Amino acid sequence: MSGVVIVGAQWGDEGKGKVTDLLAERCDAVVRFQGGNNAGHTIVKDGVQWKLHLIPSGILHPGTTCVIGNGVVIDPKVLIEELDALRARNLDVSGLRISANAHLIMPYHLLLDSAGEAKLGSLQIGTTRRGIGPCYADKAARLGIRVQDLLDEKILKKKIVAAMEPKRLSLRPFEKDPSLDLKSMVEEHLTYGHRLERHIADTSKLLWEMLEEKACVIFEGAQGAMLDIDHGTYPFVTSSNPLAGAACVGAGVGPRAIDEVWGVSKAYTTRVGSGPFPSELHDETAEEIRRRGGEFGTTTGRPRRTGWLDLVALRYAARLNTLSALAITKLDVLSGLSTIKVCTGYRGAEGAEFDDFPYHQTVLHHARAELTEVPGWSEDLGECTSLSDLPKAAADYLELIEDEIGVPIALIGVGPGREQVIWTEAGRATLLGSGAQRSQSAL
Ligand code: IMP
């Protein structure tokens, strides 16, 4: 078995899509295991830009099986639109498989997400308003509608009625909203079922069979460790587990299927939505990084909050995921800064120092970043293809990260193009970096 998990090691938007896309051509299948269309990947391939929300980025590689696992929450309308858009650009999407057990984001989830945020006022989470939280809440309450329900009219209707009933009070302000009309909701969803039927499968079994055949499978996380509902900056988190451990449950495979865990981190930090961000910048450097890095949400278009690389949070993510490799993205964005700062510790409100991520929310909310200054570089990195091509200051910066985190850097992003990466020696020693080819048996 060869399973590689790729997760975000920060607050999401680390460039996992690009890393997965790059590695996807060396593997047989790419699986998403949590989240929904709150995620967004932008991939530039042969100069053409692709924006994906639900479909794994492996879809851009002919012959790669792409799986939306049971742990994902699917807005069927969005999925069908995404499929249609890819087809319109002549992309073969026939290899997409969708777990019959994945839960559906229903029209009332979207309304409840927005209403919930509005009610919270200044305490709002800053969700993507895609209905993610309410959908996972229904899943846990055992009131969820699953992909397989789209194929059975009677069950579908029964379950929608059961799901809407307990929400009657919260849905009252939307009573007249046409999207809540039961008859048309059922009809619309049956149509979605017809459209998606050919893709619906027992994806856990499919993956088991592929792994048994020694196929190489990538488990692609969405969001990032700090947005994990259990270990992130709760309540300013998403409603699923973006950590590597969730790959097994969200895809329906056992832990022994996982050989490597890659964590993706930018060379700096961003976050969208509310919540603590100790190394956040509020000055012109933040503006500069945002502008140069194109730090605006793929899904929502929101400007991202920007700050220095937070090694305390990254160490925490490395531990929670037992990372075996790091991919550092967007190193090129830092070119031109005379000095770069990096957060090596936190200082609490009462002066205490923290090398580890504080477990208490109050401490974290008042923590300030302890910054270490290192020299910057002015050279453009876009053409660098090996570590030795990098300016010394950039190579030193990477070494500092590696030393502080204790995880080898395998891959470094030096530009938006898929060829603008540097493989390190450690990277070439990984399953996918060693030139592992697709298994013939699985194809
Ligand atoms: P939700 O996932 O839409 O419920 O949003 C919860 C929190 O997670 C908010 O702060 C969002 O901004 C954040 N979030 C959700 N998805 C992503 C993502 O793909 N990248 C970055 N932040 C995200």
Side-chain angles (χ1 to χ4, degrees):
M1 296 203 184
S2 304
V4 179
V5 182
I6 300 176
V7 288
Q10 299 174 301
W11 275 276
D13 308 316
E14 299 91 349
K16 296 175 293 293
K18 181 181 162 183
V19 174
T20 314
D21 169 55
L22 194 75
L23 301 181
E25 64 187 1
R26 298 160 183 241
C27 77
D28 303 297
V30 182
V31 194
R32 272 202 55 188
F33 58 86
Q34 46 72 229
N37 60 312
N38 47 349
H41 290 325
T42 307
I43 294 160
V44 181
K45 195 180 169 199
D46 303 328
V48 181
Q49 201 183 67
W50 300 83
K51 288 193 178 206
L52 299 170
H53 294 287
L54 264 167
I55 301 177
S57 37
I59 202 75
L60 302 181
H61 299 279
T64 302
T65 302
C66 283
V67 175
I68 298 182
N70 54 277
V72 175
V73 286
I74 300 172
D75 183 328
K77 185 166 182 277
V78 171
L79 176 58
I80 288 167
E81 279 168 9
E82 199 164 315
L83 279 167
D84 286 346
L86 293 175
R87 273 197 208 101
R89 291 171 75 178
N90 291 323
L91 204 86
D92 177 15
V93 292
S94 60
L96 177 71
R97 293 291 170 269
I98 305 165
S99 167
N101 288 354
H103 280 248
L104 295 176
I105 296 175
M106 301 296 289
Y108 43 87
H109 292 141
L110 294 169
L111 298 174
L112 291 171
D113 197 355
S114 290
E117 284 286 87
K119 235 184 259 166
L120 281 171
S122 63
L123 295 177
Q124 69 176 237
I125 294 155
T127 75
T128 57
R129 303 195 178 213
R130 300 295 194 263
I132 307 293
C135 182
Y136 276 117
D138 266 357
K139 175 178 176 176
R142 287 147 302 179
L143 286 170
I145 318 288
R146 297 190 294 171
V147 167
Q148 56 183 282
D149 300 327
L150 295 175
L151 307 178
D152 185 326
E153 181 172 355
K154 250 166 90 185
I155 292 270
L156 180 66
K157 191 170 172 192
K158 238 189 199 166
K159 288 196 174 178
I160 293 179
V161 172
M164 289 219 285
E165 174 61 28
K167 301 181 188 70
R168 232 175 336 156
L169 197 62
S170 3
L171 287 173
R172 190 167 289 160
F174 310 106
E175 239 162 14
K176 295 205 164 57
D177 194 303
S179 73
L180 292 185
D181 176 68
L182 179 65
K183 191 164 172 281
S184 51
M185 199 189 302
V186 172
E187 269 168 22
E188 202 177 333
H189 283 76
L190 287 171
T191 313
Y192 296 150
H194 291 308
R195 293 285 316 270
L196 295 175
E197 191 166 3
R198 79 188 83 152
H199 299 286
I200 301 174
D202 179 348
T203 51
S204 162
K205 182 158 179 279
L206 169 79
L207 291 170
W208 165 255
E209 286 166 356
M210 290 188 82
L211 289 160
E212 278 282 284
E213 295 284 343
K214 306 264 180 291
C216 183
V217 178
I218 289 179
F219 299 81
E220 177 185 23
Q223 291 86 45
M226 307 311 293
L227 290 174
D228 185 273
I229 190 163
D230 286 284
H231 300 278
T233 50
Y234 191 91
F236 303 103
V237 293
T238 192
S239 297
S240 64
N241 293 105
L243 292 179
C248 294
V249 178
V253 304
R256 286 201 291 146
I258 309 301
D259 299 284
E260 290 180 2
V261 183
W262 287 53
V264 185
S265 167
K266 279 178 192 162
Y268 49 92
T269 308
T270 62
R271 109 167 264 181
V272 282
S274 322
F277 181 176
S279 66
E280 184 170 13
L281 285 165
H282 298 282
D283 56 8
E284 62 280 6
T285 309
E287 284 297 329
E288 181 67 7
I289 294 176
R290 186 176 301 120
R291 188 186 61 74
R292 295 176 53 118
E295 297 298 352
F296 299 89
T298 312
T299 296
T300 59
R302 288 183 286 180
R304 295 177 183 143
R305 298 161 64 193
T306 310
W308 298 117
L309 182 63
D310 181 342
L311 293 174
V312 181
L314 191 54
R315 258 196 305 271
Y316 180 57
R319 168 164 69 77
L320 292 169
N321 287 295
T322 58
L323 294 183
S324 56
L326 269 174
I328 301 292
T329 58
K330 293 193 158 185
L331 185 64
D332 54 298
V333 172
L334 298 181
S335 289
L337 298 173
S338 55
T339 55
I340 292 169
K341 290 183 186 151
V342 57
C343 168
T344 45
Y346 295 159
R347 192 169 291 278
E350 271 128 42
E353 276 182 45
F354 294 88
D355 293 332
D356 286 325
F357 202 73
Y359 75 87
H360 203 289
Q361 188 186 353
T362 312
V363 176
L364 181 64
H365 279 250
H366 294 102
R368 297 172 65 119
E370 290 283 289
L371 297 169
T372 301
E373 201 168 288
V374 294
W377 59 90
S378 56
E379 296 87 334
D380 182 61
L381 308 184
E383 305 277 305
C384 297
T385 55
S386 74
L387 274 181
S388 57
D389 294 339
L390 288 175
K392 183 173 179 313
D396 288 348
Y397 182 59
L398 293 172
E399 204 176 307
L400 171 79
I401 298 171
E402 211 167 47
D403 288 349
E404 287 271 342
I405 307 302
V407 176
I409 295 174
L411 207 60
I412 301 145
V414 290
R418 63 194 307 278
E419 68 292 347
Q420 289 179 294
V421 289
I422 296 173
W423 278 94
T424 66
E425 210 176 305
R428 280 191 293 271
T430 61
L431 256 176
L432 295 162
S434 57
Q437 296 302 311
R438 292 159 179 270
S439 69
Q440 292 310 308
S441 51
L443 291 177

